[in-house]
């Protein structure tokens, strides 16, 4: 293993040595022509006179200095300096073969700010505005057929992890828009995968704002980033899309179609896909587009290997091999002046088959329990999802925003399982055979309404908002179980019954906020929040009647009605302070809460009613030390209430081996949450780092108290404990180096979790300290448009230490190494390989501890690159597997599920691009090519 790591390190050092070629240094200082004040964050860039291609660029520091290390230039080029509000400085230089100090360079303030002049070839590669980081897409050279995700990977400070998570200068991106509107979904995964990069003009990055903050032009209180992709005017009219179909060994298939029609503000997109390879089915990636499980996907894949998430909705049924199909429609337009709309509709269908094998050790003070189980499952789901947004600007001061969402689903699930439990002596204590058939229908509706009114006095505004969430699920479950006991005379439990469940949830929240400016930067805010939350869980259980041959005998012990209602009234007072360097916001107030839970069980009504006056507090601080350095601090104090099943004295006997009963004396759980981060990204050196720390401190946290009998049947209730906490810490560093055709990108990250949890087993309390360490290393080397090499290494260490428990500790170590190579030579050919190795040190006997996953593809483009033929092989070595270990405070669980194995597939892709001619410029807006 050490030899492997040494070879990998040697490989990286060898490649990086190519970057150490002889260079020359350019430097200078940028000042305001009138005030002679240094200008920070001005963009200094070099472009070729011949074709305006960007040669290199940098950013001035807080003292106005810039420094650029480049290779010698033996052709005419321009030195350009750009800064918002100033005229672009431009100098033509014939050649540059030695170091040069340009001395003082003065920028002249632009006297014509109102008449916007856009000269495309003079647009700087990067521009740092007050609260926006803007990249000029054409300045970053990538393959003509690349998608938006590939473009983002080229931008300095932007990182896309193997899990699809995007960060900008260490800040996580939680929203991606196209021309300011969602493209199917706000998380933007479809836009990244399906839109071609050559239609993008600008990539704009800002701090994510709420709708209220956006409408009132307030500073963001979020710690997340938002990306807006603006479409090039030349490409904002016309059709473009892609059609793909493929068939392979083992009857594997895939097909997809994406059609886009753009005409100024009107955008219509249709998406369709069908496959049986655990894939989302739509990607313009030319190498590993639909090989589900590959590490290159930007979709949010769940660890269960078959499902994926779009717009917060899960598609694909779960573990195993999934057949899925989808149809989607996205629409946005400005129907009339100042009336903008956007929306999307999804239909999805999926069917998953899985075989599960599990071994679990449960730690008890009296002796460990060992469980072994096997299960064969099938699930099929149908879903409809409709959402849209309407924004109407009533006038220049008032805006109303409405965003409703509708969902409808049907799911069928079958499970055939067998489970055995052994005591510490290895004796068989019980076994359980089960056949379960579930069918559920779900309906959901939510809506957000926001009205904002700004007044003449800057900073004064009134905001009214309303939110509702309503859902209903009807579940019919047929259960046939046979539970047997072997060590005493307890009778076996045989069940043949149908359970009818109806679960409803209704949430309504209304808020009013008024802001009054005290000074230009200080606002005082007053608000009232009123919310109600109601939940009802109704279960009726009917046993099989041999006489009537139907399920007609009501089982009173397994029939119950639970409901809860929470009403909260919270007056708030706070302030926001917005300065050039920092933003500070604070709000607090009492939460006056009435909580009621009641049940009807075995002819008895139970009721729990409590009234509380609880504190609420939230504060944020964002401080910009410089254009590149910032600090973010957030603190909140809030209270969570227990669920009805946790607080009501109702026995849940649905599982023959596990009974749950509530504790009427439970208290609400109080939670203090804090977060601190420091970020520094220097665009001059294209390197940066971030450090963050956060944690939760709980008081009266609700935890389980489990009591096992001699048959390893358990009874679970709930207790309050205090002094528990969870914390996390992380850091990352990345750097980009560009040397002519050579591009290097290094990245190192580290994140960890540490926490203390408490619980009760067989009447005895215990504590568990859990630690997780996860360092990662990644490196990317690109040689022009011909070659890309991307090795990554990921190490995970988990450790739990116990107090007052049968064992003192449990731990595991996981190593993951991947290398992805893509070759774009010869012309029109693409050859890609994605090779990975995973090793888990602590998997139980009987489960494989390591495996290799190698995916490869070869494609050829023809017919002016409109057609692509591809052959790809998933899991070349036929070693893919799903063996996982989960360590919790009370048990260790090893699990293995069905995974997709080797297949070969041939596919054909056709691309359609038909853009209209651009309109002639008018007014004061001029465009030069």
């Amino acid at each position: 293993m050490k030899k492997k790591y040494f070879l990998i390190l040697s490989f990286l050092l060898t490649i990086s040595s190519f970057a150490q070629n002889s260079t020359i240094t350019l430097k200078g200082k940028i000042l305001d022509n009138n005030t002679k004040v240094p200008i920070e964050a001005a963009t200094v860039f070099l472009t070729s006179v011949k074709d305006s291609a960007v040669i290199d660029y940098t950013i001035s520091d807080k003292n106005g200095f810039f420094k650029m290390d480049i290779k010698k230039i033996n052709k005419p080029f321009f030195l350009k300096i750009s800064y918002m509000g100033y005229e672009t400085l431009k100098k033509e230089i014939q050649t540059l073969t030695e170091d040069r100090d340009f001395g003082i360079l003065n920028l002249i303030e632009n006297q014509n700010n109102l008449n916007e002049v856009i000269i495309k070839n003079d647009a700087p590669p990067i521009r740092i505005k007050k609260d926006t980081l803007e990249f000029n897409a054409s300045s970053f050279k990538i393959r003509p057929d690349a998608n938006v995700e590939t473009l983002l990977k080229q931008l300095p400070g932007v990182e896309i992890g193997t899990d699809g998570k995007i960060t900008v200068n260490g800040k996580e991106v939680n929203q991606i828009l196209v021309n300011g509107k969602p493209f199917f979904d706000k998380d933007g995964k479809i836009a990244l995968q399906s839109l071609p990069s050559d239609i993008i003009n600008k990539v704009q990055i800002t701090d994510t704002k709420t709708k209220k903050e956006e409408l009132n032009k307030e500073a963001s209180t979020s710690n997340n980033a938002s990306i807006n992709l603006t479409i090039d005017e030349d490409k904002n009219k016309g059709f473009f899309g892609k059609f793909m179909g493929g068939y392979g060994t083992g009857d594997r298939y895939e097909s997809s179609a994406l059609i886009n029609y753009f005409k100024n503000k009107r955008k219509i997109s249709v998406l369709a896909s069908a496959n049986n390879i655990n894939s989302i089915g739509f990607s313009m990636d030319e190498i590993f587009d639909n090989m589900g499980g590959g590490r290159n996907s930007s979709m949010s894949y769940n660890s269960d290997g078959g499902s994926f998430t779009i717009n917060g909705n899960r598609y694909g049924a779960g573990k195993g091999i999934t057949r899925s199909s989808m149809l989607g429609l996205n629409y946005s337009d400005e129907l009339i002046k100042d009336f903008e709309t956007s929306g999307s509709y999804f239909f999805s269908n999926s069917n998953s088959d899985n075989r599960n094998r599990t071994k679990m050790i449960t730690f008890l003070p009296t002796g460990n329990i060992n469980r072994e189980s096997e299960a064969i499952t099938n699930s099929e789901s149908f879903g409809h999802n409709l959402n849209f947004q309407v924004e109407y600007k009533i006038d220049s001061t008032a805006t109303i925003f409405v965003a409703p969402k509708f969902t409808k689903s049907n799911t069928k699930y079958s499970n055939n399982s067998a489970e055995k439990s052994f005591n510490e002596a290895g004796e068989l204590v019980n076994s359980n055979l089960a056949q379960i058939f579930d069918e559920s229908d779900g309906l959901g509706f939510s809506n957000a309404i926001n009205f904002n009114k700004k007044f003449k006095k800057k900073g004064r505004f009134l905001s009214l908002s309303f939110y509702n969430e309503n859902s209903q699920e009807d579940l019919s479950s047929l259960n046939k179980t046979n539970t047997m006991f072997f060590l005493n005379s307890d009778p076996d439990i045989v069940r043949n019954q149908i359970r009818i469940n109806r679960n409803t949830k209704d949430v309504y929240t209304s808020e009013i906020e008024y802001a009054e400016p005290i000074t230009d930067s200080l606002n005082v805010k007053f608000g009232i929040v009123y919310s109600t939350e109601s939940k009802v869980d109704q279960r009726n259980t009917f046993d099989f009647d041999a006489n009537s041959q139907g399920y007609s005998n009501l089982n009173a012990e397994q029939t119950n009605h639970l409901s809860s209602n929470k009403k909260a009234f919270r007056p708030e007072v706070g302030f926001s302070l917005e300065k050039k360097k920092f933003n500070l916001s604070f709000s607090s107030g009492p939460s006056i809460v009435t909580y009621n839970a009641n049940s009807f069980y075995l002819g008895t009504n139970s009721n729990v009613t409590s009234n509380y006056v609880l504190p609420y507090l939230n504060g944020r601080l964002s401080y910009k030390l410089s254009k590149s350095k910032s600090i973010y601090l957030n603190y909140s104090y809030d209270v969570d209430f227990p669920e009805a099943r946790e607080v009501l004295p109702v026995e849940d006997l649905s599982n023959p081996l596990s009974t749950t009963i509530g504790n009427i004396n439970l208290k609400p759980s109080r939670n203090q949450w804090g977060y601190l981060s420091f970020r520094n990204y220097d665009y001059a050196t294209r390197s940066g780092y971030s450090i963050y720390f956060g944690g939760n401190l709980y008081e009266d946290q609700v935890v389980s108290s489990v009591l096992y009998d001699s048959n390893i049947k358990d009874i679970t209730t709930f207790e309050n404990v205090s002094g528990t906490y969870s914390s996390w810490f992380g850091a990352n560093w990345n750097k980009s180096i560009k040397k002519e055709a050579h591009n290097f990108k290094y990245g190192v990250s580290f994140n960890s979790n540490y926490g203390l949890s408490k619980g009760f087993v067989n009447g005895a309390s215990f504590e568990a300290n859990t630690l997780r360490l996860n360092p990662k290393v990644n490196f990317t080397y690109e040689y022009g448009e011909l070659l890309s090499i991307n090795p990554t290494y990921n190490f995970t260490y988990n450790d739990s230490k116990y107090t007052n428990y049968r064992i003192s500790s449990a731990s595991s170590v996981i190593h993951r190494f991947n290398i992805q190579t893509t070759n774009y030579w010869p012309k029109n050919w693409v050859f890609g390989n994605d090779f990975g190795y995973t090793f888990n040190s602590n998997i139980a006997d009987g489960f494989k501890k390591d495996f290799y996953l190698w995916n490869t593809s070869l494609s050829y483009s023809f017919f002016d690159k409109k057609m692509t033929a591809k052959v790809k092989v998933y899991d070349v070595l036929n070693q893919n597997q799903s063996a996982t270990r989960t360590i919790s405070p009370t048990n260790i669980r090893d699990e293995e599920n069905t995974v997709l194995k080797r297949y070969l597939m041939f596919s054909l892709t056709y691309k359609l691009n038909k853009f209209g001619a651009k309109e002639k410029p008018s007014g004061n807006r001029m465009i030069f090519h």
Side-chain angles (χ1 to χ4, degrees), residues 511-559:
E511 179 179 3
I512 180 170
E513 183 179 75
Y514 173 77
E516 178 64 30
I518 305 300
T519 67
D520 288 343
S521 57
L522 177 63
N523 271 24
V524 176
K525 299 180 179 181
F526 305 91
I528 296 174
V529 180
Y530 178 74
S531 64
T532 66
E533 179 181 290
S534 299
K535 295 180 180 179
V536 177
D537 298 330
Q538 173 73 52
R539 173 184 292 170
N540 293 297
T541 303
F542 298 92
D543 292 327
F544 183 76
D545 188 333
N547 295 323
S548 65
Q549 291 295 299
Y551 295 91
S552 55
N553 292 337
L554 180 69
N555 187 321
E557 288 189 336
Q558 297 180 48
T559 295

Side-chain angles (χ1 to χ4, degrees), residues 99 228 232 237 276 284 349 374 428 684 727 733 739 840 918:
D99 295 349
N228 182 44
D232 193 295
K237 280 189 175 183
N276 63 353
M284 293 190 74
N349 167 238
E374 292 188 358
L428 178 62
S727 64
W733 171 86
K739 298 294 181 181
N840 191 331
K918 72 178 187 298

Side-chain angles (χ1 to χ4, degrees), residues 561-578:
H561 176 94
L562 305 176
S563 65
S564 65
N565 181 270
K566 182 179 71 172
K567 297 179 180 179
F569 176 78
R570 188 174 74 213
E572 291 182 17
V573 63
F575 68 88
S576 64
L577 181 62
E578 297 184 19

Side-chain angles (χ1 to χ4, degrees), residues 551-756:
Y551 295 91
S552 55
N553 292 337
L554 180 69
N555 187 321
E557 288 189 336
Q558 297 180 48
T559 295
N560 55 61
H561 176 94
L562 305 176
S563 65
S564 65
N565 181 270
K566 182 179 71 172
K567 297 179 180 179
F569 176 78
R570 188 174 74 213
E572 291 182 17
V573 63
F575 68 88
S576 64
L577 181 62
E578 297 184 19
K579 291 289 189 180
K580 184 177 180 180
K581 289 286 189 180
F582 69 89
N583 299 311
L584 175 65
S585 65
F586 176 85
S587 62
S588 67
S591 289
I592 304 168
V593 182
T594 299
Y595 178 78
N596 178 272
N598 60 73
S599 64
F600 182 77
Y601 181 59
L602 294 177
T604 302
N605 281 303
S606 298
N607 186 71
V608 176
T609 301
S610 302
N611 296 297
Y612 301 91
V613 179
L614 303 166
Y616 167 81
L617 187 150
N618 196 309
R620 297 181 181 91
L621 171 65
S622 176
Y623 192 94
K624 290 187 177 181
L625 301 171
S626 67
K627 289 284 187 180
S628 63
K629 299 177 183 177
S630 64
I631 294 174
Y632 181 86
L633 176 64
N634 190 192
Y635 171 82
S636 67
Y637 181 96
D638 211 345
V639 177
D640 295 318
F641 285 81
E643 297 290 331
R645 68 180 185 87
E646 296 173 330
V647 76
L648 290 168
V650 174
E651 287 188 303
D652 182 352
L653 302 171
S654 56
N655 186 335
L657 291 174
S658 181
T659 300
T660 301
I661 186 170
N663 177 3
I664 201 168
N665 296 313
L666 277 185
K667 304 174 186 175
S669 174
R670 304 162 193 258
N671 175 26
Q672 296 185 71
W673 181 87
Y675 180 85
L676 173 65
S677 69
F678 173 77
R679 297 183 177 90
N680 179 17
Y681 193 89
D682 184 359
Y683 286 94
T685 60
R686 297 175 208 177
S687 64
Y689 64 90
S690 64
I691 302 171
Y692 60 88
F693 172 80
N696 291 280
L697 179 62
Y698 301 98
E699 182 181 352
D700 291 325
Q701 184 181 25
V702 177
V703 300
S704 298
S705 177
V706 187
L707 182 67
Y708 290 87
D709 65 13
S710 59
N711 284 320
I712 314 184
K713 290 193 299 183
D714 66 79
I715 299 176
T716 300
T717 186
F718 304 93
E719 301 286 347
N720 290 114
V721 297
S722 294
T724 55
Y725 59 85
S726 62
S727 64
W728 57 92
F729 169 80
N732 65 76
W733 171 86
N734 63 81
K735 182 176 179 63
S736 300
I737 300 174
K738 179 177 173 58
K739 298 294 181 181
E740 291 190 327
H742 302 279
N743 284 316
F744 305 88
K745 204 166 187 178
Y746 307 85
V748 177
S749 66
F750 173 82
N751 60 74
S752 63
N753 303 86
Y754 184 74
L756 171 66

Side-chain angles (χ1 to χ4, degrees), residues 57 138 143 145 150 165 177 377 426 452 459 510 635 743 786 827 829 886 921:
Y57 68 92
S138 62
R143 303 187 319 277
D145 56 355
T150 305
K165 185 173 74 173
L177 306 174
T377 62
N452 263 73
S510 55
Y635 171 82
N743 284 316
L786 299 179
K827 186 179 180 180
W829 289 88
T886 305

